[in-house]
Amino acid sequence: MPQIAQLAETFSSQIFWLLVFFGITFFVVGRGMVPRVMDTMDKRAKQIADDISAAQAARDQADKEEEAWRTRENENRARAQALIAEAKAEAAAKSEKKIAAAQKRLDKKLDEADAELAAARKDAMAEIESVATDAAQDIVARIAGIKVTKPVASKAVKESLANG
């Protein structure tokens, strides 16, 4: 077979050129490009790791500052609550004093009004008794034709008013 014979003649030449191209490819890509790519990947991995550690440090610092802020705010809130409670207590005490003074004034006015009312009631009752006594004398004189003295009529009116 002539093709096999021809293959044997070109076989060594093909292998030579195959080795030359693989060698060139190995040195250009394997020795030239791959180390650069690997170096770039290592730099990026280191940069990412540094960024992550810096971000974690910033987060830890922010957490510490937030905790300190919360502590300060809680202390401020507690002080404000204490001030509010103190102000409420002070206002309540002042209000209590004012209310007590007003209550004393009202009690005094109420007592005066009760006394005036009692005096007016007494005067009114005396006036009613006087009018009723005069009316009783006049009625008895007209109906019965009897003249009744003022003390007797007054006594009868007082008994009638006492019994209702």
Side-chain angles (χ1 to χ4, degrees), residues 7-29:
L7 182 65
E9 292 175 9
T10 61
F11 184 69
S12 63
S13 161
Q14 288 177 351
I15 290 193
F16 170 76
W17 286 112
L18 182 70
L19 289 175
V20 168
F21 283 117
F22 276 129
I24 290 171
T25 304
F26 174 75
F27 284 110
V28 170
V29 173

Side-chain angles (χ1 to χ4, degrees), residues 23-24 27 29 31 42 58 62 64 66 70 76 105 120 124 145 164:
I24 290 171
F27 284 110
V29 173
R31 295 288 186 183
D42 289 341
K64 287 179 187 176
E66 180 184 7
R70 285 186 192 276
N76 290 341
R105 286 192 309 269

